[in-house]
Amino acid sequence: MAELGLKRLTKVYTQAQPPAVDQLDLAINDGEFVALLGPSGCGKSTTLRMVAGLESVTNGEIRVGGKLVNHVHPKDRGVGLAFENYALYPPLKVRENLAFNLKAHGVNGKEIAKRVKEIARTLRIEELLDLKPAVLSSGQKQRVNMARAMVRRPAVLLLDEPLSHLDARLRVELRTEIKRLHAEQRFTTVIVTHDQLEAMALADRIAVMNEGKLQQFDTPLEVFNHPANEFVAGFLGEPPMNIFRAVVDSGQLIIPDTQFSLPLSTFLENRLGPRKEVKLGIRPWGIRISATEAEGSFVGKIAVVENLGDETRVGVRYGEILLMSSIPVTKRYQPGQQVYLSFNDEDLNLFDVSNGARLSDRENERDSDRWENRDVAHLR
Amino acid sequence: MASLQLTGLTKFYGKRRGVENVSLDIPDQEFLTVFGPAGAGKTTTLNLIAGIVTPNQGSVRIGTRVVDSLEPADRNVAMVFESYALYPQLTVYQNMVFPLKSPKHRLPAQEAERRVHHFAGMLKIDHLLNRPIQALSNGQRQRTALGRALVRQPDLFLMDEPLSHLDAKLRHSMRAELKEMRDQLGTTTIYVTHDYLEAMSLGDRVAVINHGQILQLGAPDEVYFRPATVEVAQLFGDPEINIVEAKIQRKHREAIRLQMLGEDWSASVPEDIGRMLDALSSDTIQVGFRPADVEIAADGKTGFHGVVYSFEPLGTKSVLTIDSVGGQRVRALVDGHRTFQVDRRVNFSVSTRALIFFDRDNARYLARSSQTEEEYSHG
């Protein structure tokens, strides 16, 4: 096991196009689990393939355990890669599939048997060892696939969308297993995924990427609660954060086409500075809905009610904006009903209109993790 | 506008069962979601209604017409597929007006134009009418496809996973938007999906289907809170419902003593349920409770005992997987601001009113210990 360092890592396929990966800096600690998260085409898979040695590096450095590996042969880098598609050898039994790379590396038979047994126990595939890949379920194949990457005891384990081909039930199960496995084994692990829940659930830190560039690299809760920019804010969270444009007018922050106008509190002023225009973001569970008016609340009409069992979502329409909120399931509303919306300033995210960057009150924000203190009991 | 009646529909593909003995009565203007996993028989059902597939047995009636001998084109149903099959080089307007130029649905040009504008306005794509499909976002394409189906004013809308290829974020907002439009459609709709959130959100009722058979037909709350079988219970909810075996040790009128998760537990249940459990021939049942109904005891003492197997934060909520004393693994959905260490001991309780009882042998629904709907306040 080792740390993995990427320094100004860049990949250019053709000069005609922007870099697939653009000066990516990541310092991943020994034993850490990091998720590369982003939409398709964001450069996350290219990054992983460069680390694995399957893709040449245009510029920058890859270091495994401090050692520069840019030009080291893939099999000598000490990285183990488990692909999305399994690429197991069909004629070989699971046991032989696991042993294959060890044999190629000249590990002796006794040691191979021992390691295969160990990894099979860890990944709970002991009963599969004498079967051929064709008879395995996709969940079993995925575990064998991971076992094959891990049996070599790589310094860094690389997982490329390992769960995306599985059905929902198996995905949740295997996600738990991977998380547990990491808690036990503490392999330095990098997972590539487009699924924000998977990244949140598994990773110690998440590197959010878009258009080849790193957007934010931080713990899941920090990325979730203090997104560095509008892209990150919109990419994480289900249902997605409500984001809309607002303008400053005579001491108020006004959202055009709605009845919303907020007095400029210290919270807002500290972040707005001299700006006259801003993007406002609020997560669905930051919005409270009531049938009765209260001070500072805004009137609206319910357009959509979604009763989802453990969760109720209510949509209020203002022109083009459908403002979604997540409310306690014990409250029942009807479409067409007039309601009053309210929220705390502290739950608002402000983003610069020109570049989408988060406007923060840096001195206070990071230290005071409001999330720890707020009441989210209804979200059980 | 029309009602829809399916009677004993059966379709085998060789020896493989597509659907068997499917009967459904769908009133005019109902929005019915047909929900099940891949290979359940959802699309076969839809194709049987559309007339694309001929049944081995059974009958389809739309409104007052039995349509079994009618060609698909003569049934006056409109299908909206997962892939929209729009003409990419044509504009939104040209795509929407297209059906109204076909021999079957031809309308005078002025009336056709009026209809396109009417439905484009309803779907909020009237400002896009002159744009080619290529230039549209996924959501806008979705609306165009819906609009093209709407202009024909069909008796019946058939939708086959129209949101399934959208990314997760867009799917949530498109679902809400579709729901908002739903009531304006004014058309009986059969909507096929493998996504339980879509099934619950959109459907007036949900037909849960698997292995070619209808497992349950009911309002969303009904299938969620009173699932007909363990299988139905497991198809709704993420993470999946916890199902554990429990031994009824002693039954009183209002309290039952259950042995489950390796521990003894007194649970108070309504009198009628106590009586029902009393009357069972077996003393073993299956008990279901959803992860959101598991509470981690703050005092660390009361309730069931377990050890944290895994902790997965998801933002506002986290999934906590616990190994119980009895060895069964239990999933809990907990506040996003709480953190738990792996291998730490925890105590947890399950709200009695959240318990769903199933027969041990046939896995059928027996009872739920509360009348959920009554607990809800209005507004």
Side-chain angles (χ1 to χ4, degrees):
Chain A
M1 276 175 272
E3 69 266 13
L4 171 67
L6 310 182
K7 214 178 221 175
R8 304 176 79 75
L9 187 65
T10 300
K11 177 71 188 182
V12 177
Y13 284 108
T14 68
Q15 292 299 335
Q17 302 217 319
V21 177
D22 197 356
Q23 306 202 43
L24 179 64
D25 284 317
L26 281 181
I28 296 166
N29 300 322
D30 188 10
E32 194 175 21
F33 198 132
V34 165
L36 300 182
L37 173 71
S40 61
C42 73
K44 56 190 191 299
S45 289
T46 307
T47 302
L48 200 77
R49 292 172 59 81
M50 282 194 281
V51 173
L54 303 175
E55 196 84 67
S56 65
V57 171
T58 310
N59 253 314
E61 289 180 357
I62 302 169
R63 287 179 187 274
V64 176
K67 185 178 151 230
L68 187 69
V69 297
N70 283 34
H71 301 291
V72 176
H73 192 276
K75 74 174 172 51
D76 300 323
R77 289 187 178 197
V79 299
L81 176 63
F83 283 108
E84 174 180 16
N85 45 2
Y86 317 110
L88 299 171
Y89 303 109
L92 301 187
K93 289 177 180 171
V94 168
R95 186 190 303 281
E96 295 155 350
N97 262 289
L98 297 182
F100 195 86
N101 275 324
L102 295 177
K103 266 190 198 149
H105 274 76
V107 181
N108 75 51
K110 220 171 161 185
E111 174 69 13
I112 291 180
K114 185 179 147 240
R115 285 212 214 162
V116 167
K117 201 175 157 192
E118 247 175 47
I119 200 73
R121 190 170 51 229
T122 309
L123 282 164
R124 296 168 197 89
I125 51 169
E126 289 156 295
E127 71 281 14
L128 308 178
L129 285 174
D130 291 312
L131 302 177
K132 293 208 172 148
V135 302
L136 303 181
S137 72
S138 42
Q140 291 169 331
K141 275 185 199 159
Q142 195 50 264
R143 269 182 284 167
V144 173
N145 191 29
M146 286 182 53
R148 196 176 50 170
M150 291 167 69
V151 76
R152 288 171 51 200
R153 300 188 179 152
V156 179
L157 180 65
L158 307 175
L159 306 174
D160 190 1
E161 302 264 11
L163 305 178
S164 64
H165 279 174
L166 306 176
D167 69 40
R169 181 180 192 173
L170 207 53
R171 201 159 56 226
V172 172
E173 262 173 39
L174 215 53
R175 195 179 72 196
T176 303
E177 293 299 329
I178 293 175
K179 178 89 186 209
R180 172 73 197 182
L181 208 59
H182 184 257
E184 286 171 4
Q185 308 284 325
R186 288 275 148 200
F187 271 107
T188 308
T189 307
V190 181
I191 188 173
V192 157
T193 179
H194 67 278
D195 180 341
Q196 47 113 8
L197 288 180
E198 209 170 291
M200 295 273 299
L202 291 172
D204 296 316
R205 284 192 292 169
I206 301 176
V208 187
M209 295 181 70
N210 190 32
E211 295 176 345
K213 293 196 180 74
L214 182 66
Q215 308 292 311
Q216 189 168 7
F217 185 38
D218 218 322
T219 63
L221 285 184
E222 192 58 29
V223 171
F224 190 80
N225 293 327
H226 298 131
N229 57 41
E230 193 183 335
F231 173 82
V232 176
F235 197 79
L236 281 102
E238 248 178 46
M241 182 186 282
N242 298 289
I243 298 177
F244 30 74
R245 202 176 63 89
V247 293
V248 178
D249 189 8
S250 46
Q252 304 267 315
L253 191 58
I254 294 168
I255 303 166
D257 307 322
T258 73
Q259 279 86 329
F260 287 94
S261 63
L262 307 170
L264 286 180
S265 61
T266 320
F267 176 89
L268 290 173
E269 274 185 335
N270 282 350
R271 286 161 179 75
L272 273 170
R275 288 177 190 77
K276 290 288 168 220
E277 202 180 347
V278 71
K279 283 280 190 71
L280 279 185
I282 186 156
R283 295 220 179 262
W285 34 88
I287 300 173
R288 290 184 301 270
I289 289 197
S290 165
T292 51
E293 190 170 6
E295 202 191 322
S297 66
F298 307 98
V299 70
K301 203 184 226 182
I302 290 183
V304 191
V305 179
E306 293 190 282
N307 294 321
L308 303 175
D310 290 335
E311 195 188 345
T312 298
R313 297 181 193 169
V314 167
V316 177
R317 183 167 284 289
Y318 296 98
E320 288 286 301
I321 301 170
L322 184 61
L323 192 71
M324 292 301 292
S325 64
S326 183
I327 62 166
V329 287
T330 48
K331 298 261 183 212
R332 294 260 151 147
Y333 292 99
Q334 298 299 322
Q337 192 177 340
Q338 180 167 303
V339 287
Y340 298 89
L341 286 71
S342 58
F343 45 80
N344 298 331
D345 280 0
E346 292 74 33
D347 286 330
L348 285 172
N349 294 270
L350 281 74
F351 304 106
D352 190 281
V353 279
S354 58
N355 61 13
R358 177 186 193 79
L359 306 177
S360 57
D361 186 358
R362 292 194 191 278
E363 302 199 350
N364 302 318
E365 197 160 76
R366 173 110 203 187
D367 299 331
S368 65
D369 194 357
R370 300 171 298 98
W371 201 255
E372 296 290 336
N373 304 319
R374 60 168 301 182
D375 174 24
V376 285
H378 77 266
L379 293 166
R380 268 198 304 128
Chain B
M1 279 187 277
S3 60
L4 172 68
Q5 194 171 41
L6 311 182
T7 316
L9 276 183
T10 298
K11 174 67 189 177
F12 277 79
Y13 299 96
K15 284 196 170 160
R16 195 171 65 78
R17 178 164 64 194
V19 297
E20 191 170 9
N21 201 19
V22 166
S23 295
L24 284 173
D25 230 324
I26 301 145
D28 185 21
Q29 299 203 31
E30 180 169 59
F31 197 109
L32 179 84
T33 50
V34 177
F35 163 73
K42 310 184 291 287
T43 301
T44 299
T45 306
L46 212 63
N47 288 340
L48 286 166
I49 299 169
I52 296 165
V53 168
T54 313
N56 303 117
Q57 269 177 49
S59 180
V60 177
R61 204 187 56 170
I62 299 173
T64 53
R65 287 195 305 170
V66 173
V67 297
D68 296 329
S69 57
L70 295 184
E71 290 296 315
D74 298 323
R75 296 190 177 194
N76 199 25
V77 302
M79 285 194 93
V80 181
F81 290 99
E82 178 184 349
S83 49
Y84 308 127
L86 297 168
Y87 301 101
Q89 71 282 19
L90 299 186
T91 65
V92 170
Y93 183 86
Q94 287 163 332
N95 268 282
M96 281 181 71
V97 83
F98 199 85
L100 303 181
K101 294 188 165 173
S102 72
K104 219 166 221 86
H105 305 285
R106 184 182 296 283
L107 282 181
Q110 228 179 348
E111 169 63 10
E113 195 184 330
R114 194 197 62 77
R115 257 200 219 173
V116 169
H117 281 283
H118 171 75
F119 288 110
M122 198 181 98
L123 295 167
K124 302 194 184 72
I125 47 172
D126 38 353
H127 60 295
L128 303 171
L129 282 172
N130 293 321
R131 291 229 193 127
I133 299 300
Q134 301 155 357
L136 302 183
S137 70
N138 279 329
Q140 291 164 336
R141 285 177 201 211
Q142 164 95 36
R143 284 151 183 263
T144 307
L146 264 180
R148 187 177 58 178
L150 274 168
V151 293
R152 279 174 45 196
Q153 304 194 319
D155 286 332
L156 209 58
F157 251 145
L158 304 179
M159 302 193 186
D160 194 359
E161 306 255 11
L163 307 183
S164 66
H165 68 289
L166 301 177
D167 67 48
K169 181 181 161 192
L170 200 55
R171 206 156 58 228
H172 281 276
S173 45
M174 283 308 296
R175 189 184 68 227
E177 301 241 359
L178 189 60
K179 172 133 198 191
E180 190 186 0
M181 280 182 279
R182 203 195 66 161
D183 298 331
Q184 297 163 33
L185 297 180
T187 307
T188 312
T189 303
I190 313 298
Y191 183 105
V192 160
T193 180
H194 72 280
D195 177 341
Y196 83 92
L197 292 175
E198 279 175 35
M200 288 191 69
S201 163
L202 294 169
D204 294 316
R205 286 189 299 167
V206 184
V208 186
I209 186 169
N210 203 6
H211 325 295
Q213 287 169 325
I214 299 213
L215 304 179
Q216 188 170 8
L217 173 66
D221 276 354
E222 230 168 292
V223 294
Y224 190 83
F225 292 109
R226 294 169 207 290
T229 61
V230 167
E231 186 182 3
V232 173
Q234 288 171 331
L235 288 172
F236 290 87
D238 178 19
E240 197 173 294
I241 189 170
N242 297 293
I243 302 282
V244 300
E245 259 197 12
K247 205 164 169 184
I248 306 171
Q249 293 205 307
R250 204 182 315 135
K251 302 166 237 183
H252 291 298
R253 277 226 181 90
E254 293 197 357
I256 47 169
R257 203 163 169 74
L258 293 173
Q259 191 179 51
M260 62 185 246
L261 300 171
E263 302 185 53
D264 289 334
W265 183 41
S266 285
S268 53
V269 297
E271 197 179 325
D272 54 333
I273 290 173
R275 235 179 294 150
M276 192 271 304
L277 292 175
D278 255 333
L280 288 177
S281 55
S282 165
D283 65 351
T284 307
I285 51 173
Q286 296 189 65
V287 176
F289 50 96
R290 302 211 176 263
D293 294 315
V294 178
E295 294 216 46
I296 308 305
D299 61 2
K301 285 182 197 146
T302 51
F304 295 102
H305 300 72
V307 173
V308 174
Y309 179 74
S310 180
F311 174 66
E312 299 162 67
L314 304 176
T316 43
K317 303 167 204 171
S318 300
V319 178
L320 185 64
T321 309
I322 304 166
D323 278 340
S324 68
V325 170
Q328 298 94 334
R329 204 153 275 170
V330 170
R331 286 185 194 273
L333 207 54
V334 299
D335 277 1
H337 68 281
R338 298 182 71 174
T339 54
F340 294 88
Q341 296 303 315
V342 164
D343 290 338
R344 204 194 84 173
R345 291 173 185 285
V346 283
N347 293 67
F348 60 97
S349 59
V350 183
S351 156
T352 321
R353 60 186 183 82
L355 297 180
I356 310 175
F357 302 110
F358 298 96
D359 189 282
R360 186 193 60 174
D361 299 320
N362 62 22
R364 291 195 168 278
Y365 175 84
L366 294 170
R368 183 186 169 99
S369 60
S370 77
Q371 301 293 317
T372 308
E373 292 78 17
E374 289 167 16
E375 291 162 12
Y376 290 149
S377 63
H378 284 266

